Amino acid sequence: MTARAWAELLRVSALFTVPGDALAGAAASGRRPDRGTVLAVGASLCLYEAGMALNDWADRDEDAIDRPHRPIPSGRIAPGAALAAAGALTAAGLGLAARAGRPALAVATGLAATVWAYDLRLKHTPAGPAAMAAARGLDLLLGAAATGAAAGGATGRATGPGPALVPVTGPASGERGAYRKGPASGKGAASGRGSAAGPGAARGSEPATGGFVRGALPAAALLGAHTYAVTAVSRHEAHGGSTAAPLAALGAVAALSAAAVHEQRGRRGDRGTDAHLGPGGRGEPHRPNPGPTHDAPTPLAGTAPGLVRTALTGSYLRTAAVPLLHAALNPSPPLTQRAVGGGIRAMIPLQAALAARAGAVGTGLAVMALVPIARALSRKVSPT
């Protein structure tokens, strides 16, 4: 059992498509990445790799016929070792999610259950693509549930009046909004050191976290739709022969690009503000009082984020659509497998576009930094 064999089993080249899920979820919820986001990324990586190991363990008999070079049928990794790795990685993922709070653990538990159900039962049924799409959507929601929650325990519970952090708009406020101390907003104001997540973000505040998760549902749906399309194509990568699957996926990619290029409703990322809980933890975005004329965005402030969203969406469209078009024109196994690989790599620019769509342009650009790493590794280890 060599490092190369484990890299193939765990498909390490696809691993870099995972961190963007949590980052896009944090952005879609209207909060900036924090310690909870880091925990969500770690949990996502563990659960993703658990799914990879479990997938090859469950498919070991099928791979012995169609993919005898895979680590388990070739004898380079024992089936029991792959199954043990899947169990250990699942436990590690749930442990990391638990450190981010109960809402994050609840989402991670649903994600782990979906992964195991897909690999052991649903993969070869009509529900397979939907289960895979649900797993990716839950992975994004994990980032939304974890962000802010882990910091809540360190900043104290919401207890009475005190200085609160409120967003400041204007050209100098930065990408996701600067924060300043402002007047307390009543019972919901955070006391003590405060949290950038805003009032009501204390650990264990399930209603508050639920509001953030609901805000990330549209982004999760878009990511899930892309995953569904790629999974439907992947069912034909061993034997090829399907023109309908890549054509349908191509249409889905075009529709998702049209949705991703527009700013997320309810977000004001072009103005550098951050949506967070309002007074009383009801989940309304805080809207500062109208300020003087300098509060209005300049034309550049309103245009630059839109250009970034367009560029990121274009990268997603190019990465996913070109190999899908080739597979539709010639549905051979190599071109179909290349289309699946392109669809997997396209998740990174899609995650970046979703973050920018929510106003987190810097987060989107940071996610895009993973593209060259994933591309370089995919030349050495296949992501499929």
Side-chain angles (χ1 to χ4, degrees), residues 41-259:
V41 169
S44 298
L45 292 172
C46 289
L47 294 175
Y48 186 84
E49 294 292 49
M52 293 295 104
L54 184 63
N55 175 80
D56 276 25
W57 179 83
D59 285 353
R60 61 193 184 279
D61 294 333
E62 177 184 336
D63 286 346
I65 299 173
D66 295 332
R67 305 177 185 88
H69 61 280
R70 294 293 300 159
I72 293 179
S74 65
R76 290 178 291 156
I77 291 181
L83 182 60
L89 286 166
T90 299
L94 293 177
L96 288 171
R99 296 186 62 185
R102 287 179 294 178
L105 177 60
V107 176
T109 301
L111 173 58
T114 303
V115 168
W116 281 73
Y118 173 83
D119 284 334
L120 298 181
R121 178 66 180 172
L122 300 177
K123 183 190 309 180
H124 301 296
T125 71
M132 184 64 80
R136 272 289 179 173
L138 286 169
D139 203 31
L140 186 146
L141 294 178
L142 176 58
T147 302
T155 59
R157 290 173 171 79
T159 55
L165 295 179
V166 298
V168 181
T169 59
S173 61
E175 172 216 337
R176 294 292 287 157
Y179 287 79
R180 62 174 172 80
K181 285 188 177 181
S185 57
K187 293 174 63 178
S191 64
R193 287 169 290 181
S195 168
R203 179 188 293 270
S205 178
E206 284 83 359
T209 303
F212 288 124
V213 172
R214 284 192 297 273
L217 285 175
L222 293 176
L223 184 63
H226 172 80
T227 306
Y228 186 103
V230 174
T231 306
V233 176
S234 72
R235 296 184 146 203
H236 306 279
E237 64 178 325
H239 304 288
S242 173
T243 298
L247 277 177
L250 192 60
V253 166
L256 290 171
S257 299

Side-chain angles (χ1 to χ4, degrees), residues 287-314:
R287 301 189 182 278
N289 293 328
T293 55
H294 72 269
D295 189 41
T298 65
L300 179 61
T303 302
L307 292 176
V308 173
R309 287 198 306 272
T310 301
L312 294 175
T313 304

Side-chain angles (χ1 to χ4, degrees), residues 10 20 34 39 50 97 100 123-124 163 177 180 188 199 213 233 260 271-272 287 304 337 345 347 353 365:
L10 299 177
D34 59 6
L39 291 171
K123 183 190 309 180
H124 301 296
R180 62 174 172 80
V213 172
V233 176
R271 298 189 57 173
R287 301 189 182 278
Q337 184 176 2
R345 290 191 301 274
M347 288 182 179
L365 294 176

